[in-house]
Amino acid sequence: QTTAKQAVEKSNSAHCLFCRISRREVSAHVVYESEQVVAFLDINPIRLGHIQIIPLEHFDYFDDLPTTVAAEILALDSDWRER
């Protein structure tokens, strides 16, 4: 049985642009993908190589991310900036 919170999360992910990108409903230039995250070039970059790194699962807040997902995002961010 679906809880009210699950119903809201499902609705949020259905309309979330980042979720739509992770499901490949919206095209993006993907530069990295794993079982937990996807990274793609920003369509309005503020500098060369500007990417968005997002979890494949919808979370409303960064603080809600599982530790492993947050750690992968932060590690990828650090690694990408060093390039």
Side-chain angles (χ1 to χ4, degrees):
Q1 184 175 358
T2 302
T3 66
K5 181 179 179 185
Q6 289 170 324
V8 168
E9 288 172 354
K10 184 175 182 179
S11 174
N12 285 348
S13 76
H15 301 291
C16 172
L17 176 61
F18 291 140
C19 289
R20 293 178 64 215
I21 290 170
S22 73
R23 291 190 303 261
R24 301 298 197 264
E25 296 170 3
V26 174
S27 65
H29 185 97
V30 174
V31 296
Y32 175 87
E33 186 170 11
S34 73
E35 292 181 8
Q36 302 185 107
V37 304
V38 63
F40 52 91
L41 294 177
D42 193 289
I43 61 170
N44 293 308
I46 58 174
R47 66 181 55 88
L48 185 64
H50 181 183
I51 62 171
Q52 297 289 330
I53 307 168
I54 61 170
L56 293 178
E57 185 180 343
H58 181 89
F59 294 93
D60 287 334
Y61 302 100
F62 190 84
D63 292 344
D64 294 338
L65 292 173
T67 305
T68 57
V69 176
E72 184 174 355
I73 289 172
L74 294 174
L76 180 57
D77 174 64
S78 178
D79 182 53
W80 188 262
R81 281 187 282 133
E82 292 176 8
R83 293 179 183 198

